[in-house]
Amino acid sequence: MASKFLVPGVASAVIGAVLGAGVIFGVTAAASDNTRPDIDRSGNANSSVLNQVEYGSR
């Protein structure tokens, strides 16, 4: 008599957990920002490091 409710309940819990995990991973992957920023290379390479001019000697 207990298996009448136990089997569908366990199956429903397993399916819900799998679908929930899939939704969580999908939303996390869609919301994550995995792009590298563009580097501004318009500065003078001979007089600057990362477009910040260094004054004085090392």
Side-chain angles (χ1 to χ4, degrees):
M1 200 73 158
S3 66
K4 180 178 179 181
F5 297 106
L6 183 64
V7 173
V10 170
S12 177
V14 169
I15 291 172
V18 170
L19 289 177
V23 168
I24 289 172
F25 286 125
V27 169
T28 302
S32 64
D33 185 13
N34 293 328
T35 59
R36 294 190 304 187
D38 292 331
I39 298 174
D40 180 19
R41 298 190 186 275
S42 62
N44 184 357
N46 293 328
S47 67
S48 66
V49 176
L50 295 177
N51 292 332
Q52 296 178 355
V53 176
E54 294 182 3
Y55 296 98
S57 60
R58 293 183 176 198

